[in-house]
Amino acid sequence: MQSRLHCNALSVVETILNAPIGKIQYALEESLKCNVRLTVVEQNSSIKQQFVRKISISVMNIPIIRATVTFDGNLLPDYILYDVLMKKLSIGQILEKNDIAGIRWIKSLKLNFEKNRLFREYEIINDKSTWFVICEEIDLDSLQSILEPHLVNV
């Protein structure tokens, strides 16, 4: 069954997609007027300094966005890699802390109607080098469920 998103949910999706690098949590807090939690769920290294970081962004303890960040530790400056491996800050906060603007290059944006999820993949590029590849899954059903109590029938 296909669900329909209320215009408020579409507005929040637009907020997510248009948020600057590292500002999704803040943008959601501003848009939804509530606390938003970003959690590093896990971070693993594979061979040769290849890393995978999984995060969750939740509102009212309901995961809205799940993301997987992959990066090559050999391409990152030591001070950036150190902060990433500490797992205390988001990638965006680390870049901001170090005055690195970065560029978001969207590789794909797909809507899966059956799962009611939006998938986005992008790269964060600095100085012509891809530092991070981020694959996001935005759960539209969960987003809608958070917004429904706030909807008022007119």
Side-chain angles (χ1 to χ4, degrees):
M1 181 174 121
Q2 231 176 351
S3 67
R4 297 177 64 178
L5 283 180
H6 188 273
C7 62
N8 287 351
L10 291 174
S11 175
V12 175
V13 169
E14 183 179 17
T15 296
I16 292 168
L17 296 177
N18 291 330
I21 294 172
K23 300 291 185 182
I24 290 176
Q25 180 180 3
Y26 175 76
L28 280 173
E29 286 175 343
E30 288 294 308
S31 176
L32 299 173
K33 305 294 186 226
C34 65
N35 289 330
V36 176
R37 183 173 173 194
L38 186 147
T39 306
V40 177
V41 177
E42 69 178 87
Q43 183 169 290
N44 300 307
S45 63
S46 59
I47 56 173
K48 299 183 181 179
Q49 291 285 87
Q50 303 296 311
F51 295 89
V52 175
R53 174 187 262 203
K54 294 183 179 183
I55 66 151
S56 174
I57 297 176
S58 302
V59 176
M60 297 187 300
N61 294 319
I62 299 172
I64 300 299
I65 302 171
R66 290 182 181 87
T68 302
V69 181
T70 56
F71 57 97
D72 183 342
N74 295 311
L75 297 177
L76 300 177
D78 290 341
Y79 60 96
I80 298 291
L81 182 59
Y82 174 81
D83 279 347
V84 172
L85 295 179
M86 293 300 294
K87 298 188 263 185
K88 293 183 179 182
L89 301 173
S90 71
I91 300 299
Q93 290 169 325
I94 292 167
L95 296 176
E96 185 176 306
K97 169 184 161 188
N98 291 286
D99 294 321
I100 298 170
I103 297 169
R104 178 186 291 139
W105 183 70
I106 306 292
K107 294 176 70 176
S108 66
L109 183 64
K110 298 175 186 173
L111 179 60
N112 182 316
F113 288 104
E114 292 173 7
K115 294 183 178 182
N116 208 23
R117 299 216 181 343
L118 183 63
F119 297 90
R120 174 171 70 166
E121 181 178 3
Y122 61 93
E123 296 177 352
I124 296 178
I125 299 170
N126 184 59
D127 199 25
K128 299 181 184 177
S129 176
T130 299
W131 280 14
F132 303 98
V133 176
I134 301 174
C135 298
E136 295 173 333
E137 176 183 338
I138 303 168
D139 186 334
L140 302 174
D141 285 332
S142 293
L143 178 60
Q144 186 73 25
S145 72
I146 288 167
L147 293 172
E148 283 176 0
H150 303 294
L151 298 179
V152 177
N153 292 328
V154 183

